[in-house]
Amino acid sequence: MNPTITLLFILSLTLGTTITMTSTHWLLAWAGLEMNTLAIIPIIAKQHHPRATEAATKYFLIQATASTLILFSSTINAWKTGQWDISQLSTPESTTMLTLALAMKLGLAPLHLWLPEVLQGSTLPTAMIITTWQKLAPMALLLLTFNNLNHQILITLGLASALLGGWSGLNQTQTRKIMAFSSIAHMGWFFMALTISPNITLITLLIYLLITSTLFTMLITTSSKTLLDLGTTLHHTPNLLITSLLTLMSLGGLPPLTGFMPKWLILSALITDNKTLISMIMALSTLPSLFFYLRMSQMTTLTLSPKTTPTQHKWRFKTPITPATPMIILSALLLPLTPLILNLT
């Protein structure tokens, strides 16, 4: 694709998300979502491959359906209350429809089946955009309307996503599908945080974006599309891959790393609200996810590819400098700053 055209699409993507995040009127937010969707589709389909075309088509159909539901819910709310303001969403029909539409956009269970297929048909940079930047606009709408949302629906969707995201990722060998199911599981934690506090929700979102971007940067640097690829890249960038072990453990929520912070805050808040059973299920749902993160770590740093003796250790002479280095540090070492982060939010 022409670099100028690519830049135009990326600017449109940024503008659409910014319009949605800064708007207070439902029609303007919907227009931003549509601009965002139309900008990402050519980026997904630019490979001129049948799988990429299939992924772009699936993404378009899902996002168009979700945007239609959002417009329909806002229209019903305006019809019943006379308000087009985003924060004034109050009718039960509108809030339920909006929650399901945004769950579909974010890829929460049981509306999650499109996300692994779309990521598998995309390049690694495009997959990173879908799992990070494309989450911002729907999450902003959820944060603007969380006071009026049905908590029972949020808890149900959160539990289903955390459980299915972990269990479905167990038998995957493609890194993009593993990251898709990881995203589904983390969106379940995000929906659970919505029932507790906007501050904890914002912390959960920022930590998820940071760690997921770090891991995708590592995968892009090493061009690792499968677990087998991860097992053969240690000789070329050992420092990056060894430190990425910390990122994987942090994504699984293992203390004392950064990824433990949002899980710790959410579980402690659930127990304080006497939701002990829900907190126990959420804690147990992290075990399958932690298993496939451990498997990625084992393939990356604890095994060696066959016939390593004649391998030329080019990394000894030229170490690649990537933006992953400061991101890995933040992804691993932010837990002691939890009180400061809570005060800032």
Side-chain angles (χ1 to χ4, degrees):
M1 188 183 290
N2 189 304
T4 307
I5 302 299
T6 303
L7 180 61
L8 178 63
F9 285 137
I10 291 175
L11 289 176
S12 300
L13 196 68
T14 307
L15 181 61
T17 302
T18 306
I19 288 173
T20 302
M21 293 177 66
T22 56
S23 61
T24 57
H25 195 283
W26 274 115
L27 289 181
L28 198 58
W30 173 79
L33 289 172
E34 288 300 299
M35 184 185 299
N36 185 282
T37 301
L38 293 176
I40 191 68
I41 287 172
I43 297 176
I44 298 174
K46 69 180 179 180
Q47 297 179 82
H48 303 292
H49 188 275
R51 186 175 282 273
T53 306
E54 178 188 348
T57 305
K58 287 179 179 178
Y59 188 83
F60 171 74
L61 292 174
I62 291 294
Q63 298 298 315
T65 304
S67 295
T68 304
L69 285 175
I70 291 172
L71 188 61
F72 190 40
S73 68
S74 59
T75 305
I76 290 177
N77 185 73
W79 176 40
K80 291 196 171 185
T81 64
Q83 293 287 338
W84 282 98
D85 194 284
I86 292 178
S87 60
Q88 300 298 320
L89 194 74
S90 56
T91 59
E93 304 89 350
S94 300
T95 54
T96 303
M97 201 177 302
L98 177 73
T99 305
L100 294 176
L102 293 177
M104 186 184 297
K105 272 190 170 292
L106 292 170
L108 271 89
L111 308 168
H112 68 289
L113 296 176
W114 64 272
L115 185 59
E117 300 302 323
V118 169
L119 288 198
Q120 186 60 28
S122 309
T123 61
L124 282 169
T126 306
M128 182 174 74
I129 293 174
I130 294 172
T131 53
T132 53
W133 182 263
Q134 292 297 93
K135 307 283 187 185
L136 289 177
M139 286 177 174
L141 292 177
L142 283 169
L143 284 169
L144 286 171
T145 58
F146 83 98
N147 280 326
N148 302 318
L149 299 179
N150 188 321
H151 283 198
Q152 297 301 320
I153 297 177
L154 293 177
I155 290 173
T156 303
L157 291 173
L159 283 173
S161 298
L163 290 169
L164 283 175
W167 283 106
S168 302
L170 286 177
N171 62 342
Q172 301 299 326
T173 58
Q174 302 287 328
T175 54
R176 283 167 292 184
K177 282 196 173 183
I178 289 175
M179 294 306 297
F181 288 113
S182 168
S183 174
I184 292 166
H186 279 85
M187 288 302 100
W189 284 90
F190 178 82
F191 263 49
M192 196 62 66
L194 274 173
T195 65
I196 298 167
S197 162
N199 293 345
I200 295 178
T201 305
L202 190 58
I203 291 173
T204 305
L205 169 61
L206 294 177
I207 296 296
Y208 162 77
L209 294 177
L210 171 65
I211 301 177
T212 303
S213 301
T214 304
L215 197 52
F216 263 113
T217 304
M218 184 270 290
L219 294 175
I220 292 168
T221 304
T222 58
S223 300
S224 300
K225 296 181 180 179
T226 65
L227 293 181
L228 187 62
D229 293 339
L230 286 174
T232 59
T233 52
L234 181 63
H235 308 290
H236 300 291
T237 54
N239 295 332
L240 175 63
L241 289 178
I242 289 171
T243 50
S244 68
L245 171 68
L246 295 175
T247 307
L248 285 164
M249 295 299 96
S250 182
L251 194 62
L254 201 68
L257 302 173
T258 303
F260 178 63
M261 184 198 305
K263 293 179 172 59
W264 172 32
L265 294 173
I266 292 170
L267 291 177
S268 61
L270 287 173
I271 293 172
T272 304
D273 287 346
N274 294 321
K275 296 175 181 175
T276 310
L277 179 62
I278 294 174
S279 64
M280 184 177 67
I281 295 173
M282 291 296 291
L284 291 175
S285 72
T286 62
L287 296 179
S289 300
L290 191 58
F291 172 79
F292 60 74
Y293 297 138
L294 280 169
R295 186 174 61 170
M296 288 181 71
S297 304
Q298 191 257 350
M299 292 291 292
T300 304
T301 57
L302 303 179
T303 59
L304 295 176
S305 58
K307 298 181 181 179
T308 59
T309 307
T311 303
Q312 293 182 358
H313 296 284
K314 298 178 182 178
W315 54 270
R316 291 179 177 172
F317 308 103
K318 184 178 179 182
T319 302
I321 299 174
T322 69
T325 306
M327 295 169 70
I328 288 173
I329 295 172
L330 293 174
S331 299
L333 302 176
L334 281 182
L335 186 63
L337 300 179
T338 304
L340 177 63
I341 294 173
L342 284 173
N343 289 333
L344 290 176
T345 56

